Amino acid sequence: MFWLGSLLATLFVVIAVGVATHDGYIRRHYRHPRLLIGALLTLSILAIPLSVGIALTAPEQQQPWVQYAIGALFLTLPAIVALGLHLRHSPRLPARQRRVLAVGAHPDDLELACGASLARFVDEGHEVMAMVMSHGDHGGIGEEREREALRGAELLGLEGVTVRDFTDTRMAEEISEIVGAVEVAIELFKPDIILTHSAHDQHQDHHAVHLATMRAARHSPTILCFESPSVTQEFRPNFFVDVSEYLESKVSAVQMHRDQSGKPYMGAKLLRGAAVFRGRQGRIPQAEGFEVMRALSSDLGEL
Ligand SMILES: [Zn+2]
């Protein structure tokens, strides 16, 4: 029985390590990720000592219940994945596909402010492109933060993300250049919907990117402003995206930004709480809120 016990123990260790290291993937692709991660880890951790017991015990001393228990756990694993914890629906082509351009100042801004909405738009078949105006090297390591922005965008399923090199904390002095950069992005991508920072944001870079984007998007009919952790009390959302199924995707995308993980606003508890608060305002369980600067009804319909 040594080989069988060893094989099972290895298999369950692989499952436990796989679940622990790929929790971001599970959060993005499964409807009930926390339940799935908890169930798989619990079952694997229970099965590992039982498997080791089988490997180390002589066949004549083997307790039959140990083998039955491990067999039951082993059969339960695929059943858990298959039943009830099914995959989120895969991207499909909506009646009208929108192009969404999200413009943020720093590498983690988009995930924090509207990561769940972006993931939802992607799953509903819309094309989402992100633009980040700086590497954020004043508050962290620029190169690392760029890599984290790419990982966050990949997890959310965005078409792509461009990280520009405007000066972190001093974007107010570069507004003309930022206008030019956003104009080029609008010209190339031709977005139906533009998302950016709010005017009601006390971070000087966020405010500068808001002004620059409003200027660059002067011919665009639909502009929504998202909620960064630094918005003021004047931020009053009047457009809500139901993100009940996408909060865990947002949490995972934010957790990609390890460089900033010490910041108090990066915590999962806070992200979930904010979504409940905005959801209450929108009369749904969990939401991300946006301020509508202007909107063409056909651009926002069905979103
Ligand atoms: Zn920021």
Side-chain angles (χ1 to χ4, degrees):
M1 300 304 275
F2 178 76
W3 64 271
L4 179 64
S6 305
L7 186 69
L8 287 171
T10 308
L11 198 62
F12 284 114
V13 167
V14 168
I15 291 171
V17 171
V19 170
T21 54
H22 290 80
D23 62 325
Y25 177 88
I26 295 173
R27 284 171 198 255
R28 177 71 182 96
H29 292 93
Y30 282 84
R31 283 191 189 279
H32 306 290
R34 281 199 280 175
L35 188 57
L36 180 59
I37 290 169
L40 287 176
L41 281 179
T42 306
L43 288 180
S44 304
I45 288 164
L46 283 174
I48 290 166
L50 290 175
S51 306
V52 171
I54 288 177
L56 298 180
T57 311
E60 59 275 12
Q61 294 169 334
Q62 203 73 250
Q63 295 293 328
W65 69 267
V66 174
Q67 293 176 33
Y68 294 143
I70 202 159
L73 290 177
F74 195 63
L75 289 174
T76 310
L77 288 173
I80 287 173
V81 178
L83 296 173
L85 299 169
H86 49 93
L87 285 167
R88 214 186 282 291
H89 62 268
S90 51
R92 57 192 157 82
L93 219 53
R96 189 192 143 203
Q97 189 184 34
R98 277 33 166 249
R99 288 166 175 265
V100 181
L101 175 65
V103 185
H106 309 109
D108 54 359
D109 285 338
L110 296 176
E111 286 88 338
L112 280 164
C114 58
S117 299
L118 298 182
R120 182 179 166 161
F121 295 159
V122 168
D123 276 10
E124 290 182 347
H126 304 296
E127 221 174 312
V128 183
M129 190 70 82
M131 203 173 178
V132 174
M133 287 306 167
S134 74
H135 286 74
D137 39 18
H138 189 79
I141 302 163
E143 279 179 18
E144 186 52 36
R145 294 195 71 187
E146 180 175 3
R147 276 195 289 276
E148 291 170 350
L150 297 177
R151 283 202 284 270
E154 189 183 359
L155 185 104
L156 295 175
L158 310 191
E159 281 296 305
V161 55
T162 312
V163 181
R164 300 298 303 257
D165 206 16
F166 292 103
T167 315
D168 190 10
T169 72
R170 312 204 46 178
M171 288 184 215
E173 297 163 25
E174 300 170 317
I175 288 184
S176 303
E177 292 81 0
I178 298 173
V179 171
V182 180
E183 280 176 343
V184 170
I186 291 173
E187 179 61 28
L188 291 175
F189 187 56
K190 299 188 173 28
D192 302 292
I193 300 166
I194 295 172
L195 308 177
T196 193
H197 291 283
S198 167
H200 303 119
D201 194 313
Q202 63 192 359
H203 193 301
Q204 69 273 25
D205 285 346
H206 295 180
H207 202 259
V209 168
H210 167 80
L211 291 176
T213 305
M214 289 305 296
R215 175 74 191 138
R218 58 197 174 279
H219 302 303
S220 304
T222 302
I223 306 172
L224 307 179
C225 294
F226 47 65
E227 178 179 18
S228 294
S230 50
V231 293
T232 64
Q233 289 184 17
E234 282 69 44
F235 180 85
R236 293 202 182 96
N238 50 7
F239 181 84
F240 298 89
V241 176
D242 182 347
V243 296
S244 308
E245 289 196 9
Y246 289 92
L247 251 190
E248 296 308 315
S249 297
K250 173 174 183 159
V251 169
S252 297
V254 169
Q255 286 173 349
M256 290 285 162
H257 294 272
R258 295 209 176 104
D259 187 273
Q260 300 291 295
S261 59
K263 298 279 169 66
Y265 50 80
M266 303 290 280
K269 203 172 167 185
L270 203 67
L271 297 172
R272 294 188 185 113
V276 171
F277 175 65
R278 291 303 178 201
R280 185 63 212 125
Q281 290 183 316
R283 308 299 188 261
I284 48 178
Q286 288 155 327
E288 281 176 342
F290 298 83
E291 289 177 330
V292 177
M293 299 306 290
R294 58 174 175 268
L296 188 66
S297 62
S298 57
D299 282 342
L300 292 184
E302 296 169 35
L303 280 184

